[in-house]
Amino acid sequence: MSIQVDQVVDAKGLACPMPIVRTKKAVNELKPGQVLEVQATDKGSLADIQAWAKSSGHQYLGTKEDGEVLKHYLRKASESEEKEELKFPHVIQNDELLKKLEANEEITIIDVREPAEYNFGHIPGSLSIPLGELGERANELDPENEILIVCRSGNRSDLACKQLTDKGFKHVTNVVQGMIEWTGPLETTK
């Protein structure tokens, strides 16, 4: 099966948020209806691209695996289909999360990074639910609890917050600096 594309983005070797950053820039250069191929090696890019397409109104067409490379296909929306991408409004900084942990507050921390990212270093007590699994695993969470969502940089967690809010969760907060700037305690999974 051959897919006719209008532009190719090379995001191989780049970690979140760079595949999405490059995708957004490339989509802005396309005309409505044109197709973009995003080549990425970051396994988390699959959930990221799907969630971003849904939130922005662009059409996620699918992903093909070519060895280690994921080839994601998107169709640029027309102006009437496109949505203004809004950032999730409820956010805290890493130091605020650290204070909550030190005070032993009743919070649930969800880490939406991929399992390999989580295994190499995560916030003690956090739950690993990759963004791509959040929709089907949301029933594992109490919608009345205070839920703080963390990822590498604050982008996947932004999408995750929107997803949970859409499912009726009331107390969801994005940890915007993410693990890339986390200076608090870390655990690793063996």
Side-chain angles (χ1 to χ4, degrees):
M1 168 176 77
S2 174
I3 298 173
Q4 178 68 36
V5 298
D6 299 288
Q7 188 175 342
V8 176
V9 170
D10 183 353
K12 296 186 293 281
L14 301 177
C16 178
M18 291 312 297
I20 285 292
V21 169
R22 288 199 176 172
T23 299
K24 289 177 182 180
K25 184 177 179 188
V27 163
N28 287 337
E29 298 169 5
L30 294 175
K31 294 179 183 156
Q34 288 188 315
V35 175
L36 177 69
E37 176 182 300
V38 180
Q39 299 175 353
T41 50
D42 179 2
K43 298 295 181 200
S45 67
L46 177 60
D48 294 352
I49 297 267
Q50 289 175 331
W52 176 78
K54 183 178 180 184
S55 72
S56 64
H58 301 294
Q59 184 182 4
Y60 168 75
L61 300 173
T63 297
K64 290 171 58 175
E65 287 190 45
D66 185 3
E68 294 293 311
V69 178
L70 298 170
K71 294 182 177 180
H72 309 292
Y73 297 93
L74 297 164
R75 182 189 143 277
K76 181 171 179 162
S78 66
E79 284 186 32
S80 64
E81 297 170 309
E82 204 168 336
K83 300 176 190 173
E84 181 183 346
E85 192 178 356
L86 301 173
K87 290 286 184 190
F88 191 74
H90 307 292
V91 298
I92 64 169
Q93 303 294 314
N94 285 355
D95 61 337
E96 295 172 84
L97 173 55
L98 189 54
K99 286 177 187 170
K100 288 178 173 289
L101 288 171
E102 289 169 349
N104 291 317
E105 288 188 27
E106 286 287 322
I107 57 174
T108 302
I109 303 170
I110 307 298
D111 189 320
V112 295
R113 297 176 299 155
E114 291 300 300
E117 295 173 283
Y118 179 85
N119 291 342
F120 278 104
H122 56 269
I123 297 169
S126 63
L127 301 173
S128 175
I129 304 180
L131 179 61
E133 299 176 14
L134 187 61
E136 63 196 40
R137 293 183 57 193
N139 62 337
E140 297 175 22
L141 305 170
D142 184 341
E144 299 301 320
N145 283 0
E146 181 179 358
I147 298 175
L148 292 100
I149 303 184
V150 66
C151 71
R152 181 176 179 272
S153 64
N155 285 324
R156 278 180 272 183
S157 52
D158 182 80
L159 298 169
C161 287
K162 293 172 190 170
Q163 228 179 74
L164 287 181
T165 301
D166 288 347
K167 290 186 173 292
F169 286 76
K170 296 172 179 44
H171 312 286
V172 180
T173 304
N174 184 11
V175 183
V176 292
Q177 291 166 303
M179 295 304 292
I180 200 166
E181 293 187 36
W182 179 253
T183 58
L186 278 178
E187 283 182 348
T188 57
T189 305
K190 296 176 182 172

